[in-house]
Amino acid sequence: MHFTAEDLLGVTFAREPYPLVELGTALVAWQRTDEAAVYGRWRSRLTRELPDRVRPLLDLLRPDGDNPPFAEPFVTDVEEGLLAVRAARSTLTREELERAVSRARGSGSWLRALWRQDAAAWDQLEAALRAGHAAAVAPHWARIRQSFQADVAWRSRLMAAHGIKAVLASTHPRARWSGTTFEVDLPPDYEVRLDGSGLQLLPTVFGTGRPMLADHGGGRPVLIYPALTPFPLAAEGPADGALDALLGRTRAAVLQRLTAQRTTSELARDLDISLPSVSEHTRTLRAAGLITTERDGKAVLHSATGLGVDLLRGGGR
């Protein structure tokens, strides 16, 4: 993603999470198999809770997350979002249809009916979106908003201290800068020139994997990236402090213990959690620049960075 100086000055955060985007990323995360230590139980629970009428969405929203944007409008109100989905029906192209059908689980006949403007198919899509939102998003909206707001607060502070390049580099362990070009070395491969349009940053609490670039619909791209605290780790109810709201209680406890260097095994023993869980937490903290990890023989040693210590001092409990 190529930035101009004007683009770097035009990077902003979304003000609120978008409910149908959260639904889309939730269904993508549910179909994936990565980050099992964090998402495993949540995936099992959602499998039991999702009604059958949500299943057609799985033809549209595939696990790689590179999905048709019309089903995930950037709208903060659910009803307005559903209207936006309906309004997109006349804009769908043959190329988009063939791409969606090629990635669908079944024959794609339902998708072809959508593109033919079949009223029953569009009613089915709206019913699936409503049911999915009611099952996966609506009951947890306060928790989703808390994780979203904590991520924006943290990265806003990171921006003030270290600049926008540090913020974008923190969105994935394989994100990096080459001059004014931002790169994430993972498929799918594509290249974008912002050309003065700026960029909106959108953390999503169900996000896994790489950041994805989407079209805002108004000519301004949106970078959708996993929030620092994914949904399964977000605190239920009010957090005990700013640090818990940002990181989740267990991850905050990991960071607190890393003011002194500790091994993965020591963290697992101190916090009474599994080694895979420790690895998931340290990976995310490391990607955010809050800890460093190094090997000493067979041992893996973790310690807080200056940024991590600064967060501990200012975050409170």
Side-chain angles (χ1 to χ4, degrees):
M1 185 159 50
H2 299 276
F3 285 76
T4 65
E6 185 178 358
D7 292 316
L8 290 170
L9 294 173
V11 177
T12 61
F13 289 95
R15 294 184 180 181
E16 293 284 339
Y18 302 125
L20 294 185
V21 173
E22 291 297 341
L23 172 60
T25 53
L27 293 178
V28 166
W30 175 56
Q31 296 174 80
R32 293 171 66 100
T33 57
D34 58 342
E35 300 192 34
V38 173
Y39 279 93
R41 290 184 180 178
W42 171 80
R43 287 175 176 134
S44 296
R45 185 171 64 251
L46 192 59
T47 298
R48 298 190 299 269
E49 294 175 352
L50 272 183
D52 287 342
R53 59 183 176 277
V54 177
R55 303 290 168 168
L57 292 179
L58 304 185
D59 286 334
L60 275 177
L61 305 174
R62 303 299 299 135
D64 63 9
D66 188 21
N67 293 309
F70 79 91
E72 303 173 278
F74 297 104
V75 178
T76 57
D77 179 79
V78 176
E79 294 302 323
E80 290 182 15
L82 292 171
L83 288 174
V85 171
R86 287 272 189 179
R89 60 193 298 180
S90 62
T91 67
L92 303 182
T93 66
R94 180 76 181 181
E95 181 182 359
E96 289 173 322
L97 165 63
E98 295 304 331
R99 185 160 174 270
V101 168
S102 70
R103 301 166 69 246
R105 293 187 172 198
S107 65
S109 59
W110 174 74
L111 294 175
R112 294 183 187 281
L114 276 181
W115 262 260
R116 289 198 308 270
Q117 311 301 319
D118 181 83
W122 281 89
D123 289 342
Q124 186 180 10
L125 173 61
E126 180 173 334
L129 289 169
R130 285 187 183 277
H133 178 264
V137 175
H140 313 292
W141 190 243
R143 194 170 160 194
I144 291 168
R145 289 186 76 249
Q146 178 173 282
S147 180
F148 172 94
Q149 291 167 348
D151 185 276
V152 170
W154 155 243
R155 294 189 202 272
S156 296
R157 181 175 177 178
L158 184 62
M159 186 184 297
H162 298 278
I164 185 57
K165 285 191 171 184
V167 172
L168 285 166
S170 74
T171 59
H172 194 275
R174 295 178 69 173
R176 65 176 185 268
W177 285 90
S178 176
T180 56
T181 301
F182 175 67
E183 303 172 342
V184 181
D185 187 20
L186 288 169
D189 296 325
Y190 54 88
E191 188 172 2
V192 176
R193 295 185 181 276
L194 297 179
D195 291 332
S197 63
L199 183 70
Q200 184 180 92
L201 302 181
L202 177 65
T204 171
V205 302
F206 294 105
T208 69
R210 59 162 293 162
M212 300 295 291
L213 195 65
D215 184 1
H216 193 285
R220 191 180 193 202
V222 179
L223 188 71
I224 304 173
Y225 64 90
L228 189 56
T229 300
F231 175 76
L233 299 181
E236 295 193 40
D240 293 338
L243 193 60
D244 283 351
L246 171 63
L247 300 177
R249 292 186 182 95
T250 302
R251 195 174 294 171
V254 170
L255 181 59
Q256 287 179 320
R257 279 159 176 77
L258 293 181
T259 53
Q261 195 173 62
R262 280 180 167 78
T263 67
T264 301
S265 297
E266 287 171 336
L267 288 169
R269 184 184 63 245
D270 291 350
L271 298 172
D272 193 25
I273 57 178
S274 69
L275 290 172
S277 182
V278 172
S279 297
E280 290 284 356
H281 291 310
T282 54
R283 181 188 64 79
T284 302
L285 292 170
R286 187 167 53 251
L290 300 177
I291 69 169
T292 60
T293 299
E294 60 187 47
R295 282 197 171 272
D296 183 11
K298 293 184 178 180
V300 179
L301 302 173
H302 311 282
S303 57
T305 63
L307 196 62
V309 172
D310 179 58
L311 177 62
L312 288 169
R313 287 173 178 166
R317 292 286 293 180

